Amino acid sequence: MKPWISIYFLLLLASCTGYQPVLISREKIFTENTAGFRQCHASTLTETKDGNILCSWFGGDHEGAPSVKIWLSGWNHQSWSVPEAVADGKVSGNTTYPTWNPVLYTLPKTDSVLLFYKAGPNPRAWSGWLNTSADNGKTWSEAQGLKGLIGPVKNRPLMLRNGDLVSPSSKEFTEKDWKVHLEWSTDHGKTWKIIPVNYNQKDVQVIQPSIIEYRNGTLQLLARSQQNKVMTSFSYDHGRQWTLWKETSLANPNSGTDAIRLKNNWLLIVYNPEISGKNWWEGRTKLNVAISKDGQQWKDVLVLENGKDGDEYSYPSVIQASDGTIHVSYTWNRKNIVHAVIQ
């Protein structure tokens, strides 16, 4: 091997092994007690075609209350707009249901933004709904029912390189019986088919997956679980078949995560690095960023929150913007949503 080639590969290796994300900024999105709701949770992010960032979440008196609506705020790289309600649970007759888990997604190379969310009395009886915007999130359509689908249950859809649109989803059949499925469209969302993922694997309970596509076409799911670990499954045939769920090196206190593949081909996940306690909120006092090359062994590289007992920093959403910056949003003690920017 020629000397200059050896030097090139050494420099390439050093740049890969030395990747270290840096926290640039972190701020609350709105002023507490002025936003029209007492509690908020489950935020989601997207970048619009005009380069702005949208963030949505559910907010109301408390999770599961009929007052809970879907709220939206926009960031123009200087400040966040005042949150406004863009969807509610008035979707069936005279009953107003609570809303849950919004998911924003911008259709590539368009001004169209999709806002998926759920409405229903609880996660075992909710249904999927969709609002659309044709002007980068400035105005929104009326709610459309997804007709038997849930939609992306927490984390955004992924458009594969072949043009297929895949929504990572899941169903809570009971409080102890959780299963992941994919909602798959080959016509940009006009029609969908459901692909169950390892429904016969009875010893693993998983929901709320993220989906990642590698450069070679391999697909990976990373899911919240009742096993005190982030669980993963791979597909090597474009999503037709999936490997059995197995543990990653990441702890999981039965709390939501989100993961993406970066432009430099590293994988990045935002998660709570603890295990479950006796109560559902235990294990959510810390929030970390970790990176990986293989999606199984992970290294913590940033601490976003390191709180005390009773704090909750949870349900992150993460995207990489067109300028390469990484944006994270997450629940801050159910009182606010935090937006962090990472370089």
Side-chain angles (χ1 to χ4, degrees):
M1 182 179 291
K2 296 180 180 180
W4 68 268
I5 296 178
S6 299
I7 293 172
Y8 169 80
F9 279 108
L10 286 173
L11 290 173
L12 180 62
L13 179 63
S15 66
C16 291
T17 57
Y19 173 58
Q20 174 62 50
V22 177
L23 181 64
I24 301 299
S25 64
R26 180 173 51 196
E27 63 177 339
K28 295 178 181 177
I29 287 180
F30 53 86
T31 302
E32 291 167 22
N33 303 318
T34 65
F37 46 83
R38 293 177 56 195
Q39 292 189 2
C40 56
H41 189 42
S43 62
T44 174
L45 293 170
T46 194
E47 181 185 30
T48 58
K49 187 182 177 183
D50 57 12
N52 293 329
I53 303 293
L54 298 180
C55 185
S56 182
W57 58 88
F58 70 72
D61 289 335
H62 57 81
E63 180 175 342
S67 62
V68 173
K69 300 177 181 179
I70 303 299
W71 297 78
L72 184 80
S73 182
W75 187 61
N76 62 5
H77 297 265
Q78 295 182 345
S79 61
W80 285 93
S81 64
V82 175
E84 61 174 322
V86 293
D88 59 32
K90 297 177 182 178
V91 295
S92 178
N94 296 321
T95 301
T96 298
Y97 290 112
T99 57
W100 312 76
N101 294 14
V103 177
L104 287 166
Y105 180 69
T106 301
L107 289 172
K109 301 178 182 179
T110 74
D111 297 326
S112 297
V113 182
L114 309 182
L115 172 60
F116 298 89
Y117 62 99
K118 297 91 205 154
N122 57 63
R124 290 159 298 285
W126 63 22
S127 57
W129 293 82
L130 172 66
N131 290 14
T132 60
S133 172
D135 54 10
N136 294 307
K138 297 179 180 64
T139 60
W140 293 89
S141 70
E142 294 185 1
Q144 307 168 44
L146 293 181
K147 297 180 180 179
L149 302 173
I150 294 173
V153 73
K154 176 193 173 294
N155 299 320
R156 76 208 152 283
L158 179 67
M159 184 167 284
L160 305 183
R161 284 178 293 173
N162 66 1
D164 290 358
L165 184 61
V166 185
S167 289
S169 196
S170 58
K171 187 171 178 62
E172 300 179 35
F173 293 96
T174 69
E175 291 186 0
K176 296 296 183 180
D177 185 14
W178 295 355
K179 293 293 181 285
V180 162
H181 69 270
L182 303 174
E183 297 177 4
W184 203 292
S185 176
T186 59
D187 53 14
H188 295 89
K190 295 178 182 178
T191 60
W192 299 85
K193 64 179 179 180
I194 294 176
I195 299 178
V197 179
N198 296 325
Y199 268 32
N200 293 327
Q201 194 174 352
K202 304 298 185 181
D203 59 332
V204 174
Q205 308 302 322
V206 283
I207 53 172
Q208 299 175 356
S210 301
I211 184 167
I212 291 169
E213 183 180 30
Y214 289 77
R215 293 179 66 181
N216 65 1
T218 295
L219 299 177
Q220 181 180 9
L221 296 172
L222 290 155
R224 166 183 174 177
S225 82
Q226 296 181 22
Q227 277 63 48
N228 279 319
K229 288 285 188 178
V230 174
M231 305 296 287
T232 190
S233 177
F234 289 86
S235 174
Y236 303 103
D237 59 1
H238 306 289
R240 295 178 182 85
Q241 296 179 316
W242 292 85
T243 63
L244 293 178
W245 292 104
K246 64 177 293 186
E247 296 179 354
T248 69
S249 63
L250 296 168
N252 181 252
N254 194 2
S255 183
T257 70
D258 195 13
I260 57 173
R261 182 171 70 88
L262 301 175
K263 295 178 181 180
N264 62 9
N265 290 317
W266 280 88
L267 307 184
L268 182 145
I269 193 169
V270 188
Y271 78 110
N272 300 109
E274 299 183 293
I275 61 173
S276 302
K278 292 182 179 180
N279 299 299
W280 65 264
W281 62 82
E282 293 182 80
R284 300 184 179 189
T285 60
K286 299 178 182 179
L287 191 67
N288 283 9
V289 176
I291 59 173
S292 174
K293 276 295 189 180
D294 64 5
Q296 300 178 81
Q297 298 299 316
W298 295 80
K299 176 185 177 182
D300 287 332
V301 289
L302 280 177
V303 177
L304 294 177
E305 297 286 353
N306 187 10
K308 61 184 185 300
D309 288 347
D311 287 343
E312 182 187 352
Y313 310 110
S314 64
Y315 268 57
S317 176
V318 58
I319 61 172
Q320 186 170 30
S322 55
D323 64 1
T325 54
I326 301 162
H327 297 259
V328 179
S329 66
Y330 57 90
T331 297
W332 191 91
N333 282 325
R334 302 271 171 153
K335 298 177 181 179
N336 215 311
I337 303 296
V338 166
H339 169 231
V341 181
I342 298 169
Q343 186 68 54

